[in-house]
C-alpha cells in the first residue's frame, strides 16, 4: 500500500511540475548549481544533480525519477526500483531544499524506508510473475520451493546497475565518499549502494544454488528488516502527529480556536475562494475545526492501544487530510500523509480491498482472467534477482 501510494504521489508531483522543472531543480533555478554544491558539502545531503551542471544530466536524473516511480508503483523489479526511486527523490529534493514542505519530508523518509521492505510480495507485477512461475511448476509436476530458474532480465538489470554505479564511482570520486556522508554514521553513499547491489546478487545466488536452509535464513533476515522498517514508519507517523499537536497547543491562535481563520483568507491557500470565505465566516466551524485538529493529532499515538479507537481516528485523520487538500490547495502534502497513515490500516481491510479490486479486474479483463487462473496474492513471493 505504501509502495503504490508514495510512488503515485511522487509521480503526480513530477508530472505536475514538468513545465517548471528547470526553474525548480534544474540549471535555470534561482538556487544555482554552485550554491547547491556548497550547501551539500556542508550538510552532507545526497543528490546526484551536483555531480554535473549539464542540462542533459539533469534531464536524465528527472527521467529516471519518473520511470522508477511508474515501475515501483506497478511493482516491477521492486527491489531495484525502490533504490532508483530513493535516488530520484533524494537527488531532486536535496538539490533545492528550500522548495520542500511537510509532504516532501514524508516522501523523503518513506523513500528511504521502502528500500528495506518487501514491498513487492503482493499487488505487484513481481507477485504476478511469481504466481505464473508457480502455476507453470505445478503444471509440470514440480515444486517452486526448489532452485529458481535463470532470470535473464533480472541479471541484465543487475549488471547494468553495477556498471552504472562503477562508472559513477570512477567519474565522481571527488563527490562520493566511501566512508562518510552517507545514510548512517561511517557509511558513505557509495558503500551503501554497493552493499545493496551485492546483497541483490547474493540473494539470487542463494535462491538458485542453495535453495533450502540458506534460502530460509535469508527469508528470515528479510522479514526482520521488513517488520523493523514498518515499526520505524509507524513511530515516525506518531512522532509527526504528536509534535504537530503539542506545538499547536502552545500557540495562542490554536488556544483561542481561531488558527484556521487566517490561512482561509490567504490567496495562496484558497483554490476555492468562495468556499474558503464561507468556512472562515462561520466562527463555530472555525472553532470546531481548530480544536478538532489539535485533539486528533495529540490523541492519535495513544489510540494505538485500542484497535477500534485507532481505526475510527485513522478514518478521521484521512478525512482531515482530504479536507486540507480540497480547501487549502495542498494535494501532494495530503496525499503523502494519507499514504503514511495507511501503514496503520487493518490487514483484514486491505485483504477485502484486494479481493474487490481483483473481482473488478476480472470483470473488466475476462480474457486475461481466462488465461491466468486466479490465485491468492498473499501466497505469491518474487524470487528473482532484482524483483
Amino acid at each position: 500500500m505504501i509502495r503504490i501510494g508514495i510512488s503515485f504521489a511522487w509521480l503526480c508531483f513530477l508530472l505536475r511540475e514538468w513545465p517548471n522543472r528547470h526553474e525548480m531543480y534544474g540549471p535555470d533555478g534561482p538556487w544555482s548549481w554552485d550554491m547547491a554544491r556548497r550547501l551539500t558539502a556542508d550538510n552532507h545531503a545526497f543528490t546526484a544533480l551536483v555531480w554535473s551542471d549539464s542540462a542533459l544530466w539533469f534531464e536524465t536524473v528527472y527521467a529516471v525519477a519518473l520511470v522508477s516511480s511508474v515501475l515501483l508503483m506497478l511493482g516491477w523489479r521492486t527491489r531495484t526500483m525502490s533504490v532508483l526511486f530513493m535516488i530520484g527523490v533524494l537527488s531532486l529534493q536535496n538539490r533545492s531544499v528550500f522548495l520542500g514542505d511537510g509532504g516532501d519530508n514524508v516522501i523523503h523518509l518513506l523513500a528511504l524506508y521502502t528500500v528495506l521492505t518487501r514491498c513487492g510480495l503482493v499487488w505487484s507485477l513481481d507477485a504476478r510473475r511469481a504466481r505464473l512461475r508457480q502455476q507453470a511448476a505445478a503444471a509440470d509436476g514440480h515444486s517452486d520451493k526448489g532452485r529458481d530458474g535463470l532470470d535473464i532480465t533480472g541479471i541484465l538489470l543487475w549488471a547494468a546497475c553495477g556498471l552504472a554505479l562503477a562508472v559513477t564511482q570512477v567519474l565522481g570520486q571527488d563527490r562520493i565518499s566511501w566512508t562518510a556522508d552517507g545514510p548512517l554514521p561511517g557509511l558513505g553513499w557509495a558503500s551503501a549502494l554497493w552493499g545493496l547491489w551485492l546483497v541483490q546478487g547474493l540473494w539470487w545466488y542463494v535462491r538458485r544454488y542453495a535453495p533450502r536452509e540458506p534460502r530460509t535464513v535469508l527469508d528470515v533476515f528479510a522479514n526482520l528488516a521488513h517488520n523493523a522498517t514498518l515499526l520505524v514508519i509507524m513511530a515516525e507517523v506518531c512522532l509527526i502527529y504528536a509534535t504537530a499537536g503539542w506545538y499547536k497547543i502552545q500557540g495562542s491562535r490554536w488556544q483561542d480556536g481561531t488558527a484556521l481563520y487566517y490561512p482561509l483568507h490567504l490567496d495562496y491557500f484558497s483554490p476555492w475562494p468562495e468556499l474558503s470565505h464561507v468556512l472562515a465566516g462561520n466562527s463555530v466551524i472555525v472553532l470546531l475545526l481548530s480544536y478538532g485538529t489539535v485533539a486528533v493529532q495529540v490523541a492519535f499515538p495513544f489510540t494505538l492501544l485500542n484497535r477500534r479507537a485507532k481505526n475510527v481516528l485513522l478514518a478521521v485523520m484521512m478525512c482531515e487530510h482530504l479536507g486540507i487538500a480540497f480547501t487549502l490547495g495542498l494535494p501532494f502534502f495530503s496525499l503523502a500523509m494519507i499514504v503514511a497513515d495507511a501503514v496503520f490500516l487493518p490487514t483484514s481491510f486491505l485483504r477485502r480491498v484486494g479481493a474487490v479490486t481483483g473481482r473488478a479486474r476480472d470483470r473488466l479483463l475476462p480474457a486475461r482472467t481466462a488465461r491466468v487462473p486466479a490465485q491468492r496474492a498473499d501466497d505469491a513471493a518474487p524470487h528473482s534477482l532484482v524483483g
Side-chain angles (χ1 to χ4, degrees):
M1 190 75 168
I2 291 179
R3 185 201 84 232
I4 296 173
I6 206 64
S7 55
F8 175 74
W10 184 241
L11 175 64
C12 291
F13 177 80
L14 294 179
L15 293 176
R16 167 64 180 82
E17 302 300 341
W18 176 266
N20 311 311
R21 65 191 186 281
H22 291 282
E23 290 76 16
M24 295 180 65
Y25 304 113
D28 299 334
W31 189 252
S32 67
W33 183 77
D34 289 330
M35 297 170 68
R37 280 199 70 182
R38 289 199 296 268
L39 180 62
T40 54
D42 182 60
N43 62 12
H44 308 308
F46 173 85
T47 171
L49 290 178
V50 300
W51 299 350
S52 173
D53 59 348
S54 70
L56 178 60
W57 176 245
F58 168 74
E59 297 291 355
T60 301
V61 174
Y62 204 94
V64 169
L66 277 171
V67 173
S68 61
S69 299
V70 174
L71 295 179
L72 183 64
M73 181 176 63
L74 297 176
W76 187 80
R77 309 288 172 173
T78 51
R79 296 193 186 106
T80 297
M81 290 306 125
S82 63
V83 177
L84 295 179
F85 176 78
M86 176 193 68
I87 292 175
V89 170
L90 298 183
S91 296
L92 292 173
Q93 289 189 356
N94 291 335
R95 168 62 174 81
S96 300
V97 294
F98 300 107
L99 293 178
D101 58 16
D104 293 315
N105 292 337
V106 172
I107 294 176
H108 191 111
L109 292 172
L110 292 182
L112 289 167
Y113 298 146
T114 305
V115 173
L116 300 177
T117 63
R118 307 188 74 177
C119 57
L121 293 182
V122 295
W123 296 2
S124 66
L125 295 178
D126 287 346
R128 179 178 180 272
R129 187 173 66 252
R131 184 175 66 245
L132 294 177
R133 183 169 53 249
Q134 289 175 348
Q135 293 171 356
D140 294 339
H142 301 291
S143 173
D144 191 50
K145 298 295 184 180
R147 178 181 301 178
D148 290 339
L150 190 62
D151 183 12
I152 301 299
T153 303
I155 294 175
L156 292 178
L157 183 59
W158 182 76
C161 290
L163 178 61
L165 189 56
V167 171
T168 302
Q169 183 69 36
V170 172
L171 298 181
Q173 53 185 335
D174 60 329
R175 302 182 182 95
I176 307 177
S177 173
W178 279 97
T179 59
D181 307 341
L184 294 174
L187 179 67
W189 276 107
S191 300
L193 295 176
W194 276 117
L196 292 172
W197 184 80
L198 292 174
V199 167
Q200 299 282 20
L202 175 64
W203 185 275
W204 175 84
Y205 180 85
V206 169
R207 283 186 174 274
R208 178 164 176 80
Y209 295 105
R212 299 190 182 278
E213 185 173 351
R215 176 171 173 171
T216 303
V217 172
L218 283 185
D219 281 332
V220 170
F221 279 110
N223 290 336
L224 286 174
H226 174 88
N227 293 334
T229 304
L230 287 183
L231 181 61
V232 172
I233 294 175
M234 293 178 181
E236 289 278 2
V237 175
C238 291
L239 185 62
I240 290 173
Y241 284 129
T243 53
W246 286 106
Y247 271 112
K248 287 182 174 66
I249 288 178
Q250 301 175 44
S252 59
R253 295 292 177 257
W254 290 100
Q255 292 175 6
D256 59 28
T258 62
L260 292 184
Y261 174 84
Y262 302 98
L264 290 173
H265 282 82
L266 297 175
D267 294 337
Y268 185 79
F269 294 108
S270 299
W272 315 98
E274 295 80 6
L275 176 61
S276 299
H277 292 160
V278 170
L279 293 176
N282 192 315
S283 58
V284 176
I285 292 180
V286 172
L287 179 69
L288 293 177
L289 290 177
S290 298
Y291 282 166
T293 299
V294 176
V296 296
Q297 289 183 349
V298 172
F300 181 75
F302 301 99
T303 61
L304 299 181
L305 301 175
N306 184 284
R307 181 177 301 178
R308 292 183 179 179
K310 181 264 295 182
N311 292 338
V312 171
L313 202 59
L314 185 61
V316 173
M317 298 294 291
M318 290 184 172
C319 291
E320 177 190 356
H321 290 305
L322 289 176
I324 292 174
F326 191 75
T327 60
L328 299 181
L330 297 172
F332 300 114
F333 164 78
S334 299
L335 181 56
M337 289 306 304
I338 291 174
V339 172
D341 292 341
V343 72
F344 296 104
L345 288 174
T347 303
S348 57
F349 171 77
L350 295 177
R351 290 182 184 274
R352 287 196 296 270
V353 170
V356 171
T357 305
R359 288 195 294 269
R361 177 203 62 197
D362 295 343
R363 284 194 290 267
L364 292 174
L365 303 172
R368 177 184 177 278
T369 305
R371 291 194 304 267
V372 182
Q375 181 174 339
R376 287 176 56 87
D378 306 273
D379 297 332
H383 304 314
S384 64
L385 177 63
V386 287

